Amino acid sequence: MEEKTISRGGISLGDIPVWSWLVAALLLLAFFMIMSSSGGLLAPYIGQLAGATDYLHEFAHDGRHLLGVPCH
Amino acid sequence: MIATLLRRGLLAGLLAGLLAGGFAFVLGEPTIDQSIELEQMASDGHGHSHGEEGGEEEPFSRTGQKVGLFFATGLFGVTSGGIFGLAFAYFRDRLQAASEWGRSLSLAGAGFLAIFLIPFLKYPANPPTVGDPETIGVRTTAYFALMALSLAVVIGGWAAARALRRRGMGTPARQALVVAGCAIVVATAFALLPASPDAGEFPAGLLWEFRMSSLGTQAVFWIGLGGAFGLLGERAARKRADA
Ligand SMILES: [Zn+2]
């Protein structure tokens, strides 16, 4: 019984299509944008946009505290 | 199939995120309000300077930030839920649980442990005013490094347990070995990473309440995600069986 459930296959990592890796990367990026206080850290790379993410961070402020990520 | 699981994850994540937002709104917001009041009382006591001298203009009112709470938990939910759905595509046929419901809940349990609970034990959530703004960069890096490590430990522990089961190792020995191994790695990381910020004069009771509401918010999210994803999966399975 146990043998059977173990040998059940499942897709291998190689079978996962490229698009789903891309989607995963995008979701991960969005996750970090909202969850980390990255405004300052990203400024050298995205310039003006960093100001917009700061704005978002202030809006999401209480959520970030309650979800447990460092904020202040 | 993967696209279906992704969509299911995004939807379940959004629902769970909004549910967690509701929990946080009712039980967490009062503690944030009290923390901010304390902060303002402290700064009034020092200089008798209302607002003006405080420097930066806050772009959002407290009411605005409470609306933002749902934006934050919703977006946290959608992104985590989408990744959860993709991860489910890989883990689905490798998990022990026999039903969609059981598999979904066990993957959500692993997510709660790796993404939130292990990092929380070292770096518990802090309300506004606790923590030096100067060190926010270091603290953020340490927090996400620990999150990545605990995710690696949970996946590694799961893979090791699976390999040992295949080799025929008995359940008690296997579980003791895997749990001990994971605990050693986590304890070593806890010892090496920088300490959690000092709460200073902040009232201990309020701090505890805030942290419990944070723990509750995340617990509601992961239970909601596992539950909603599981229900949607069960419904799809029934439809397939009927067809
Ligand atoms: Zn904050």
Side-chain angles (χ1 to χ4, degrees):
Chain A
M1 175 67 204
E2 201 170 311
E3 264 316 296
K4 212 172 153 200
T5 50
I6 294 160
S7 56
R8 251 182 334 156
I11 54 170
S12 72
L13 283 179
D15 292 339
I16 298 174
V18 178
W19 69 260
S20 55
W21 289 111
L22 289 176
V23 171
L26 276 176
L27 288 170
L28 211 57
L29 186 71
F31 179 89
F32 280 115
M33 293 277 265
I34 194 74
M35 295 295 279
S36 71
S37 59
S38 52
L41 303 176
L42 288 177
Y45 307 103
I46 57 175
Q48 291 277 295
L49 255 176
T53 62
D54 272 353
Y55 208 69
L56 276 184
H57 280 152
E58 274 305 310
F59 189 47
H61 177 264
D62 290 15
R64 296 193 306 126
H65 274 280
L66 282 163
L67 289 167
V69 295
C71 173
H72 270 81
Chain B
M1 191 60 205
I2 295 184
T4 311
L5 293 173
L6 172 64
R7 245 180 290 125
R8 195 177 292 163
L10 292 170
L11 177 62
L14 179 64
L15 292 175
L18 295 177
L19 190 68
F23 179 95
F25 183 78
V26 175
L27 287 147
E29 282 293 356
T31 65
I32 293 192
D33 284 339
Q34 284 176 52
S35 309
I36 290 174
E37 252 167 57
L38 283 176
E39 184 180 33
Q40 277 162 356
M41 264 158 57
S43 63
D44 284 354
H46 286 306
H48 281 283
S49 51
H50 283 83
E52 300 279 307
E53 202 234 17
E56 325 153 42
E57 184 77 11
E58 299 284 344
F60 291 99
S61 65
R62 289 294 302 134
T63 315
Q65 287 182 325
K66 286 177 187 177
V67 176
L69 168 69
F70 289 90
F71 167 77
T73 58
L75 206 62
F76 167 78
V78 169
T79 53
S80 318
I83 295 170
F84 180 87
L86 292 173
F88 193 82
Y90 176 76
F91 286 107
R92 212 205 105 132
D93 294 322
R94 293 177 166 84
L95 294 172
Q96 290 279 296
S99 65
E100 287 294 283
W101 173 254
R103 284 189 285 263
S104 175
L105 284 180
S106 54
L107 192 63
F112 175 69
L113 185 66
I115 304 297
F116 180 73
L117 194 60
I118 293 175
F120 181 82
L121 294 177
K122 168 80 181 172
Y123 297 125
N126 278 317
T129 85
V130 173
D132 179 3
E134 297 279 299
T135 62
I136 183 64
V138 182
R139 282 187 285 130
T140 303
T141 309
Y143 186 81
F144 284 105
L146 182 54
M147 191 190 277
L149 181 100
S150 62
L151 189 61
V153 166
V154 167
I155 295 175
W158 170 80
R162 201 160 170 258
L164 292 175
R165 188 172 52 229
R166 283 184 168 166
R167 288 185 167 198
M169 187 187 265
T171 306
R174 184 179 74 232
Q175 290 180 347
L177 194 65
V178 168
V179 170
C182 291
I184 289 169
V185 177
V186 169
T188 309
F190 279 15
L192 294 178
L193 283 164
S196 188
D198 193 348
E201 304 275 283
F202 198 88
L206 183 57
L207 186 61
W208 180 256
E209 262 180 52
F210 173 82
R211 286 176 176 168
M212 285 305 103
S213 63
S214 169
L215 178 68
T217 300
Q218 284 274 2
V220 166
F221 172 72
W222 290 98
I223 292 169
L225 175 62
F229 192 92
L231 282 178
L232 290 169
E234 290 289 337
R235 206 182 61 169
R238 262 201 312 279
K239 269 190 193 158
R240 267 201 308 278
D242 289 345

